[in-house]
Coordinates of all heavy atoms in Angstrom, one line a residue:
G1346 N -13.5 -25.7 -8.5 CA -13.7 -26.9 -7.7 C -15.0 -27.6 -8.0 O -15.1 -28.8 -8.1
A1347 N -16.1 -26.8 -8.3 CA -17.4 -27.3 -8.6 C -17.4 -28.0 -10.0 O -18.0 -29.1 -10.2 CB -18.4 -26.2 -8.6
L1348 N -16.6 -27.4 -10.9 CA -16.5 -28.1 -12.2 C -15.8 -29.4 -12.1 O -16.1 -30.4 -12.8 CB -15.8 -27.1 -13.2 CG -16.6 -25.9 -13.6 CD1 -15.7 -24.9 -14.4 CD2 -17.8 -26.3 -14.5
H1349 N -14.7 -29.4 -11.3 CA -14.0 -30.7 -11.1 C -15.0 -31.7 -10.5 O -15.0 -32.9 -10.9 CB -12.8 -30.5 -10.2 CG -11.6 -30.0 -10.9 ND1 -10.9 -30.8 -11.8 CD2 -11.0 -28.8 -10.9 CE1 -9.9 -30.1 -12.3 NE2 -9.9 -28.9 -11.7
E1350 N -15.9 -31.3 -9.6 CA -16.9 -32.2 -9.0 C -17.8 -32.7 -10.1 O -18.2 -33.9 -10.1 CB -17.6 -31.5 -7.9 CG -16.8 -31.3 -6.6 CD -16.6 -32.7 -5.9 OE1 -17.5 -33.6 -6.0 OE2 -15.5 -32.8 -5.3
D1351 N -18.2 -31.8 -11.0 CA -19.1 -32.2 -12.1 C -18.5 -33.3 -13.0 O -19.1 -34.3 -13.4 CB -19.5 -31.0 -12.9 CG -20.4 -30.1 -12.2 OD1 -21.0 -30.5 -11.2 OD2 -20.6 -28.9 -12.6
L1352 N -17.2 -33.0 -13.3 CA -16.5 -34.0 -14.2 C -16.4 -35.3 -13.5 O -16.5 -36.4 -14.1 CB -15.1 -33.4 -14.5 CG -14.3 -34.2 -15.6 CD1 -15.1 -34.3 -16.9 CD2 -13.0 -33.6 -15.8
G1353 N -16.1 -35.3 -12.2 CA -16.1 -36.6 -11.4 C -17.4 -37.3 -11.4 O -17.4 -38.5 -11.5
R1354 N -18.5 -36.5 -11.2 CA -19.8 -37.2 -11.2 C -20.1 -37.8 -12.6 O -20.7 -38.9 -12.7 CB -20.9 -36.2 -10.9 CG -21.0 -35.8 -9.4 CD -22.3 -35.1 -9.1 NE -22.3 -33.8 -9.7 CZ -21.8 -32.7 -9.1 NH1 -21.3 -32.8 -7.9 NH2 -21.8 -31.5 -9.7
I1355 N -19.7 -37.1 -13.7 CA -19.9 -37.7 -15.0 C -19.1 -39.0 -15.2 O -19.6 -40.0 -15.7 CB -19.5 -36.7 -16.1 CG1 -20.5 -35.5 -16.1 CG2 -19.4 -37.4 -17.5 CD1 -20.1 -34.4 -17.0
A1356 N -17.9 -39.0 -14.7 CA -17.0 -40.2 -14.8 C -17.6 -41.3 -14.0 O -17.7 -42.5 -14.4 CB -15.6 -39.9 -14.3
R1357 N -18.2 -41.0 -12.8 CA -18.8 -42.1 -11.9 C -20.0 -42.6 -12.6 O -20.3 -43.8 -12.5 CB -19.0 -41.5 -10.5 CG -17.7 -41.3 -9.7 CD -18.1 -41.0 -8.3 NE -18.8 -39.8 -8.1 CZ -18.3 -38.6 -7.9 NH1 -16.9 -38.4 -8.0 NH2 -19.0 -37.5 -7.8
A1358 N -20.8 -41.7 -13.1 CA -22.1 -42.1 -13.8 C -21.8 -43.0 -15.0 O -22.5 -44.0 -15.2 CB -22.9 -40.9 -14.2
Q1359 N -20.7 -42.7 -15.7 CA -20.4 -43.5 -16.9 C -19.9 -44.9 -16.4 O -20.2 -45.9 -17.0 CB -19.2 -42.8 -17.6 CG -18.9 -43.5 -19.0 CD -17.8 -42.8 -19.7 OE1 -17.1 -42.0 -19.2 NE2 -17.6 -43.1 -21.0
Y1360 N -19.2 -44.9 -15.3 CA -18.7 -46.2 -14.8 C -19.9 -47.1 -14.3 O -20.0 -48.3 -14.6 CB -17.8 -46.0 -13.6 CG -17.3 -47.3 -13.0 CD1 -16.2 -48.0 -13.7 CD2 -17.8 -47.8 -11.9 CE1 -15.8 -49.2 -13.1 CE2 -17.4 -49.0 -11.3 CZ -16.3 -49.7 -11.9 OH -15.9 -50.8 -11.4
R1361 N -20.9 -46.4 -13.6 CA -22.1 -47.1 -13.1 C -22.9 -47.7 -14.3 O -23.6 -48.7 -14.2 CB -22.9 -46.3 -12.2 CG -22.3 -46.0 -10.8 CD -23.3 -45.4 -9.9 NE -23.8 -44.2 -10.4 CZ -23.3 -43.0 -10.1 NH1 -22.2 -42.9 -9.4 NH2 -23.9 -41.9 -10.5
T1362 N -23.0 -47.0 -15.4 CA -23.8 -47.4 -16.5 C -23.0 -48.3 -17.5 O -23.5 -48.5 -18.6 CB -24.3 -46.2 -17.2 OG1 -23.2 -45.4 -17.6 CG2 -25.3 -45.4 -16.3
G1363 N -21.9 -48.7 -17.0 CA -21.1 -49.6 -17.9 C -20.1 -49.0 -18.7 O -19.5 -49.6 -19.6
G1364 N -19.8 -47.7 -18.5 CA -18.8 -47.0 -19.3 C -17.5 -47.6 -19.2 O -16.6 -47.4 -20.0
G1365 N -17.2 -48.4 -18.1 CA -15.9 -48.9 -17.9 C -15.7 -50.3 -18.6 O -14.6 -50.9 -18.6
L1366 N -16.8 -50.8 -19.2 CA -16.7 -52.1 -19.9 C -16.2 -52.0 -21.3 O -16.3 -50.9 -21.9 CB -18.1 -52.8 -20.0 CG -18.8 -53.1 -18.6 CD1 -20.2 -53.6 -18.9 CD2 -18.0 -54.2 -17.9
P1367 N -15.6 -53.1 -21.8 CA -15.2 -53.1 -23.2 C -16.3 -52.8 -24.1 O -17.5 -53.1 -23.8 CB -14.6 -54.5 -23.4 CG -14.2 -55.0 -22.0 CD -15.3 -54.4 -21.1
M1368 N -16.1 -52.3 -25.3 CA -17.1 -51.9 -26.2 C -17.9 -53.1 -26.6 O -19.2 -53.1 -26.8 CB -16.5 -51.3 -27.5 CG -17.5 -50.9 -28.5 SD -18.7 -49.7 -27.9 CE -17.7 -48.3 -27.8
A1369 N -17.3 -54.3 -26.8 CA -18.0 -55.5 -27.2 C -19.0 -55.9 -26.1 O -20.2 -56.3 -26.4 CB -17.0 -56.7 -27.4
A1370 N -18.7 -55.8 -24.8 CA -19.6 -56.2 -23.8 C -20.8 -55.2 -23.7 O -21.9 -55.6 -23.5 CB -18.9 -56.2 -22.4
R1371 N -20.5 -53.9 -23.9 CA -21.6 -52.9 -23.9 C -22.5 -53.1 -25.1 O -23.7 -52.9 -25.0 CB -21.0 -51.5 -23.9 CG -20.5 -51.1 -22.6 CD -20.0 -49.6 -22.6 NE -18.6 -49.6 -23.1 CZ -18.0 -48.5 -23.6 NH1 -18.7 -47.3 -23.6 NH2 -16.8 -48.5 -24.0
L1372 N -22.0 -53.6 -26.2 CA -22.9 -53.8 -27.4 C -23.8 -55.0 -27.1 O -25.0 -55.0 -27.4 CB -22.0 -54.2 -28.6 CG -21.4 -52.9 -29.3 CD1 -20.4 -53.4 -30.4 CD2 -22.5 -52.1 -30.0
L1373 N -23.3 -56.0 -26.4 CA -24.1 -57.2 -26.1 C -25.2 -56.8 -25.0 O -26.3 -57.4 -25.1 CB -23.2 -58.3 -25.5 CG -22.3 -59.0 -26.5 CD1 -21.3 -60.0 -25.8 CD2 -23.1 -59.7 -27.6
M1374 N -24.8 -56.0 -24.1 CA -25.8 -55.6 -23.0 C -26.8 -54.6 -23.5 O -27.8 -54.4 -22.8 CB -25.0 -55.1 -21.8 CG -24.2 -56.2 -21.2 SD -23.1 -55.6 -19.8 CE -24.4 -55.1 -18.7
A1375 N -26.5 -53.8 -24.5 CA -27.4 -52.7 -24.9 C -28.6 -53.3 -25.6 O -28.5 -54.3 -26.2 CB -26.6 -51.8 -25.8
D1376 N -29.7 -52.6 -25.4 CA -31.0 -53.0 -26.1 C -30.8 -52.9 -27.6 O -31.4 -53.6 -28.4 CB -32.1 -52.1 -25.6 CG -32.5 -52.4 -24.1 OD1 -32.1 -53.5 -23.7 OD2 -33.1 -51.5 -23.5
S1377 N -30.1 -51.8 -28.0 CA -29.8 -51.6 -29.4 C -28.6 -50.8 -29.6 O -28.1 -50.1 -28.7 CB -31.0 -50.9 -30.1 OG -31.1 -49.6 -29.6
P1378 N -27.9 -50.9 -30.8 CA -26.7 -50.1 -31.0 C -27.0 -48.6 -31.0 O -26.2 -47.8 -30.5 CB -26.3 -50.5 -32.4 CG -26.9 -51.9 -32.6 CD -28.2 -51.9 -31.8
D1379 N -28.3 -48.2 -31.4 CA -28.6 -46.8 -31.4 C -28.6 -46.3 -29.9 O -28.2 -45.2 -29.6 CB -30.0 -46.6 -32.0 CG -29.9 -46.7 -33.5 OD1 -28.8 -46.6 -34.1 OD2 -31.0 -46.9 -34.1
Q1380 N -29.2 -47.1 -29.0 CA -29.3 -46.7 -27.6 C -27.9 -46.5 -27.1 O -27.6 -45.6 -26.3 CB -30.0 -47.7 -26.8 CG -30.1 -47.4 -25.3 CD -30.8 -48.5 -24.5 OE1 -30.7 -49.7 -24.9 NE2 -31.4 -48.1 -23.4
L1381 N -27.0 -47.4 -27.4 CA -25.6 -47.3 -26.9 C -24.9 -46.1 -27.4 O -24.3 -45.3 -26.7 CB -24.8 -48.6 -27.3 CG -23.3 -48.6 -27.0 CD1 -23.1 -48.5 -25.5 CD2 -22.6 -49.8 -27.6
M1382 N -25.1 -45.8 -28.7 CA -24.4 -44.6 -29.3 C -25.0 -43.3 -28.8 O -24.2 -42.4 -28.6 CB -24.6 -44.7 -30.9 CG -23.9 -45.9 -31.5 SD -22.2 -46.0 -31.1 CE -21.5 -44.5 -31.8
R1383 N -26.3 -43.3 -28.5 CA -26.9 -42.1 -28.0 C -26.3 -41.8 -26.5 O -26.0 -40.7 -26.2 CB -28.4 -42.2 -27.9 CG -29.1 -41.9 -29.2 CD -30.6 -41.7 -29.0 NE -31.2 -42.8 -28.4 CZ -31.8 -43.8 -29.1 NH1 -31.7 -43.9 -30.4 NH2 -32.4 -44.8 -28.4
G1384 N -26.2 -42.9 -25.8 CA -25.7 -42.7 -24.4 C -24.2 -42.3 -24.5 O -23.8 -41.4 -23.7
Q1385 N -23.5 -42.9 -25.4 CA -22.0 -42.5 -25.5 C -21.9 -41.0 -25.9 O -21.0 -40.3 -25.5 CB -21.3 -43.4 -26.5 CG -21.1 -44.8 -26.0 CD -20.1 -44.8 -24.9 OE1 -20.5 -45.0 -23.7 NE2 -18.9 -44.5 -25.2
H1386 N -22.8 -40.6 -26.8 CA -22.7 -39.2 -27.3 C -23.1 -38.2 -26.2 O -22.4 -37.2 -26.1 CB -23.7 -39.0 -28.5 CG -23.8 -37.6 -29.0 ND1 -22.7 -37.1 -29.7 CD2 -24.7 -36.7 -28.9 CE1 -23.0 -35.8 -30.0 NE2 -24.3 -35.6 -29.6
V1387 N -24.1 -38.5 -25.4 CA -24.4 -37.6 -24.3 C -23.3 -37.5 -23.3 O -22.9 -36.4 -22.9 CB -25.7 -38.1 -23.6 CG1 -26.0 -37.4 -22.3 CG2 -26.9 -38.0 -24.5
L1388 N -22.7 -38.6 -23.0 CA -21.6 -38.6 -22.0 C -20.4 -37.8 -22.6 O -19.8 -37.0 -21.9 CB -21.2 -40.0 -21.6 CG -22.1 -40.7 -20.7 CD1 -21.7 -42.2 -20.5 CD2 -22.1 -40.1 -19.3
A1389 N -20.1 -38.1 -23.8 CA -19.0 -37.4 -24.5 C -19.2 -35.9 -24.5 O -18.3 -35.1 -24.3 CB -18.7 -38.0 -25.9
T1390 N -20.5 -35.5 -24.9 CA -20.8 -34.1 -25.0 C -20.6 -33.4 -23.6 O -20.1 -32.3 -23.4 CB -22.2 -33.9 -25.5 OG1 -22.3 -34.5 -26.8 CG2 -22.6 -32.4 -25.6
A1391 N -21.1 -34.1 -22.6 CA -21.1 -33.5 -21.2 C -19.6 -33.4 -20.7 O -19.2 -32.4 -20.2 CB -21.8 -34.4 -20.2
Q1392 N -18.8 -34.5 -21.0 CA -17.4 -34.4 -20.7 C -16.7 -33.3 -21.4 O -15.9 -32.6 -20.8 CB -16.8 -35.8 -21.0 CG -17.1 -36.9 -20.0 CD -16.4 -38.2 -20.4 OE1 -16.5 -38.6 -21.6 NE2 -15.8 -38.8 -19.4
S1393 N -17.0 -33.1 -22.6 CA -16.3 -32.1 -23.4 C -16.7 -30.7 -22.9 O -15.9 -29.8 -22.8 CB -16.7 -32.2 -24.9 OG -16.2 -31.2 -25.7
A1394 N -18.0 -30.5 -22.6 CA -18.5 -29.2 -22.1 C -17.8 -28.9 -20.7 O -17.3 -27.7 -20.5 CB -20.0 -29.2 -22.0
V1395 N -17.8 -29.9 -19.8 CA -17.2 -29.6 -18.5 C -15.7 -29.4 -18.7 O -15.1 -28.5 -18.0 CB -17.5 -30.8 -17.6 CG1 -16.7 -30.7 -16.3 CG2 -18.9 -30.9 -17.3
G1396 N -15.1 -30.1 -19.6 CA -13.6 -29.9 -19.8 C -13.3 -28.5 -20.3 O -12.3 -27.9 -19.9
R1397 N -14.1 -28.1 -21.3 CA -13.9 -26.7 -21.8 C -14.1 -25.7 -20.7 O -13.4 -24.7 -20.6 CB -14.8 -26.4 -23.0 CG -14.5 -27.1 -24.2 CD -15.2 -26.6 -25.4 NE -16.7 -26.6 -25.3 CZ -17.4 -27.7 -25.6 NH1 -16.8 -28.8 -26.1 NH2 -18.7 -27.7 -25.5
A1398 N -15.1 -25.9 -19.8 CA -15.4 -24.9 -18.7 C -14.2 -24.9 -17.7 O -13.8 -23.9 -17.2 CB -16.7 -25.3 -18.0
I1399 N -13.7 -26.1 -17.5 CA -12.5 -26.2 -16.6 C -11.3 -25.5 -17.2 O -10.6 -24.7 -16.5 CB -12.2 -27.7 -16.2 CG1 -13.3 -28.3 -15.3 CG2 -10.8 -27.8 -15.6 CD1 -13.1 -29.7 -15.1
D1400 N -11.1 -25.6 -18.4 CA -10.0 -25.0 -19.1 C -10.2 -23.4 -19.0 O -9.2 -22.7 -18.7 CB -9.9 -25.4 -20.5 CG -8.7 -24.9 -21.2 OD1 -7.5 -25.1 -20.7 OD2 -8.8 -24.2 -22.3
R1401 N -11.4 -22.9 -19.3 CA -11.6 -21.5 -19.2 C -11.5 -21.0 -17.8 O -10.9 -19.9 -17.5 CB -13.0 -21.2 -19.7 CG -13.2 -21.3 -21.2 CD -14.5 -20.6 -21.7 NE -15.7 -21.2 -21.0 CZ -16.4 -22.2 -21.5 NH1 -16.0 -22.8 -22.6 NH2 -17.5 -22.7 -20.8
S1402 N -11.9 -21.8 -16.8 CA -11.8 -21.4 -15.4 C -10.4 -21.3 -15.0 O -10.0 -20.4 -14.3 CB -12.6 -22.4 -14.6 OG -12.6 -22.0 -13.2
R1403 N -9.6 -22.3 -15.5 CA -8.2 -22.2 -15.1 C -7.5 -21.0 -15.7 O -6.6 -20.4 -15.0 CB -7.5 -23.5 -15.6 CG -7.8 -24.7 -14.7 CD -7.2 -26.0 -15.3 NE -7.3 -27.1 -14.4 CZ -7.3 -28.4 -14.7 NH1 -7.0 -28.7 -16.0 NH2 -7.4 -29.3 -13.9
R1404 N -7.8 -20.7 -16.9 CA -7.2 -19.4 -17.5 C -7.7 -18.2 -16.8 O -6.9 -17.3 -16.5 CB -7.6 -19.3 -19.0 CG -6.9 -20.4 -19.9 CD -7.0 -20.0 -21.4 NE -8.4 -19.9 -21.8 CZ -9.1 -20.9 -22.3 NH1 -8.6 -22.1 -22.5 NH2 -10.4 -20.7 -22.7
A1405 N -9.0 -18.2 -16.4 CA -9.5 -17.0 -15.6 C -8.8 -17.0 -14.3 O -8.4 -15.9 -13.8 CB -11.0 -17.1 -15.4
E1406 N -8.5 -18.1 -13.6 CA -7.9 -18.1 -12.3 C -6.4 -17.6 -12.5 O -6.0 -16.8 -11.6 CB -7.8 -19.6 -11.8 CG -7.1 -19.6 -10.4 CD -7.0 -21.1 -9.9 OE1 -7.1 -22.0 -10.7 OE2 -6.7 -21.2 -8.7
A1407 N -5.8 -18.0 -13.6 CA -4.4 -17.5 -13.8 C -4.4 -16.0 -13.9 O -3.5 -15.3 -13.4 CB -3.8 -18.1 -15.0
R1408 N -5.4 -15.4 -14.7 CA -5.4 -14.0 -14.8 C -5.7 -13.3 -13.5 O -5.1 -12.3 -13.1 CB -6.5 -13.6 -15.8 CG -6.2 -13.9 -17.3 CD -7.1 -13.2 -18.2 NE -8.5 -13.7 -18.0 CZ -9.1 -14.7 -18.6 NH1 -8.4 -15.5 -19.5 NH2 -10.3 -15.0 -18.4
L1409 N -6.6 -13.9 -12.7 CA -7.0 -13.3 -11.4 C -5.8 -13.4 -10.4 O -5.6 -12.5 -9.6 CB -8.2 -14.1 -10.8 CG -9.5 -13.7 -11.4 CD1 -10.6 -14.6 -10.8 CD2 -9.9 -12.2 -11.0
V1410 N -5.0 -14.4 -10.5 CA -3.8 -14.5 -9.6 C -2.8 -13.4 -10.0 O -2.3 -12.7 -9.1 CB -3.1 -15.9 -9.8 CG1 -1.7 -15.9 -9.2 CG2 -3.9 -17.0 -9.2
A1411 N -2.7 -13.1 -11.3 CA -1.8 -12.0 -11.7 C -2.3 -10.7 -11.2 O -1.6 -9.8 -10.7 CB -1.6 -12.1 -13.2
D1412 N -3.7 -10.5 -11.4 CA -4.3 -9.2 -11.0 C -4.2 -9.1 -9.5 O -3.9 -7.9 -9.0 CB -5.8 -9.2 -11.4 CG -6.0 -9.1 -12.9 OD1 -5.0 -8.7 -13.6 OD2 -7.1 -9.4 -13.4
E1413 N -4.4 -10.1 -8.7 CA -4.3 -10.0 -7.3 C -2.9 -9.6 -6.9 O -2.7 -8.8 -6.0 CB -4.7 -11.4 -6.6 CG -4.7 -11.3 -5.1 CD -4.8 -12.7 -4.5 OE1 -4.3 -13.6 -5.0 OE2 -5.5 -12.7 -3.4
A1414 N -1.9 -10.2 -7.5 CA -0.5 -9.9 -7.2 C -0.2 -8.4 -7.5 O 0.4 -7.7 -6.7 CB 0.4 -10.8 -7.9
R1415 N -0.7 -7.9 -8.6 CA -0.4 -6.5 -9.0 C -1.1 -5.6 -8.0 O -0.6 -4.6 -7.6 CB -0.9 -6.3 -10.4 CG 0.1 -6.8 -11.5 CD -0.3 -6.3 -12.9 NE -1.6 -6.7 -13.3 CZ -1.9 -7.7 -14.0 NH1 -0.9 -8.6 -14.3 NH2 -3.1 -8.0 -14.4
T1416 N -2.4 -5.9 -7.7 CA -3.1 -5.1 -6.8 C -2.5 -5.0 -5.4 O -2.4 -4.0 -4.8 CB -4.6 -5.6 -6.7 OG1 -5.2 -5.6 -8.0 CG2 -5.4 -4.7 -5.9
A1417 N -2.1 -6.2 -4.9 CA -1.5 -6.2 -3.6 C -0.2 -5.4 -3.6 O 0.1 -4.7 -2.7 CB -1.3 -7.7 -3.2
S1418 N 0.6 -5.6 -4.7 CA 1.9 -4.8 -4.8 C 1.6 -3.3 -4.8 O 2.3 -2.6 -4.2 CB 2.6 -5.3 -6.1 OG 3.8 -4.6 -6.2
A1419 N 0.6 -2.9 -5.6 CA 0.3 -1.5 -5.7 C -0.2 -1.0 -4.3 O 0.2 0.1 -3.9 CB -0.8 -1.2 -6.7
W1420 N -0.9 -1.8 -3.6 CA -1.4 -1.4 -2.2 C -0.2 -1.2 -1.3 O -0.1 -0.2 -0.6 CB -2.4 -2.4 -1.7 CG -2.8 -2.2 -0.3 CD1 -2.9 -1.0 0.4 CD2 -3.2 -3.2 0.6 NE1 -3.3 -1.3 1.7 CE2 -3.5 -2.6 1.9 CE3 -3.3 -4.6 0.5 CZ2 -3.9 -3.3 3.0 CZ3 -3.7 -5.3 1.7 CH2 -4.0 -4.7 2.9
Q1421 N 0.7 -2.2 -1.3 CA 1.9 -2.1 -0.5 C 2.7 -0.9 -0.8 O 3.3 -0.2 0.1 CB 2.7 -3.4 -0.6 CG 2.0 -4.6 0.0 CD 2.7 -5.9 -0.4 OE1 3.7 -5.9 -1.1 NE2 2.1 -7.0 0.0
A1422 N 2.9 -0.6 -2.1 CA 3.7 0.6 -2.5 C 3.0 1.9 -2.0 O 3.7 2.8 -1.5 CB 3.8 0.6 -4.0
L1423 N 1.7 2.0 -2.1 CA 1.0 3.2 -1.6 C 1.1 3.3 -0.1 O 1.2 4.4 0.5 CB -0.5 3.1 -2.0 CG -0.8 3.5 -3.5 CD1 -2.2 3.1 -3.8 CD2 -0.5 4.9 -3.7
E1424 N 1.0 2.1 0.6 CA 1.1 2.2 2.1 C 2.5 2.7 2.5 O 2.7 3.5 3.4 CB 0.9 0.8 2.6 CG -0.5 0.3 2.6 CD -1.3 0.9 3.8 OE1 -1.1 0.3 4.9 OE2 -2.0 1.8 3.6
K1425 N 3.5 2.3 1.7 CA 4.9 2.7 2.0 C 5.0 4.2 1.7 O 5.6 4.9 2.5 CB 5.9 1.9 1.1 CG 7.4 2.3 1.3 CD 8.3 1.5 0.4 CE 9.7 2.0 0.6 NZ 10.7 1.2 -0.3
R1426 N 4.5 4.7 0.6 CA 4.6 6.1 0.3 C 3.8 6.9 1.3 O 4.3 8.0 1.7 CB 4.0 6.4 -1.1 CG 4.3 7.8 -1.6 CD 3.6 8.1 -2.9 NE 2.2 8.3 -2.7 CZ 1.3 8.7 -3.7 NH1 1.8 8.9 -4.9 NH2 0.1 8.9 -3.5
T1427 N 2.6 6.4 1.7 CA 1.9 7.2 2.8 C 2.7 7.3 4.1 O 2.6 8.3 4.7 CB 0.5 6.5 3.0 OG1 -0.2 6.4 1.7 CG2 -0.3 7.3 4.0

Side-chain angles (χ1 to χ4, degrees):
L1348 288 170
H1349 277 291
E1350 285 292 325
D1351 289 343
L1352 190 58
R1354 281 194 294 271
I1355 291 171
R1357 289 190 296 272
Q1359 187 178 16
Y1360 180 79
R1361 286 194 302 270
T1362 57
L1366 295 174
M1368 179 60 70
R1371 279 183 280 163
L1372 282 170
L1373 291 173
M1374 295 174 64
D1376 292 339
S1377 68
D1379 286 343
Q1380 181 186 23
L1381 174 65
M1382 296 306 296
R1383 283 196 299 272
Q1385 288 294 108
H1386 177 71
V1387 169
L1388 286 172
T1390 300
Q1392 285 179 313
S1393 176
V1395 172
R1397 288 194 301 272
I1399 288 174
D1400 185 57
R1401 287 195 302 271
S1402 184
R1403 282 175 174 160
R1404 291 197 299 270
E1406 181 185 18
R1408 289 193 298 271
L1409 284 171
V1410 167
D1412 289 344
E1413 184 189 36
R1415 285 193 297 269
T1416 304
S1418 177
W1420 174 29
Q1421 292 167 2
L1423 282 169
E1424 287 279 282
K1425 180 181 178 182
R1426 191 185 76 173
T1427 302

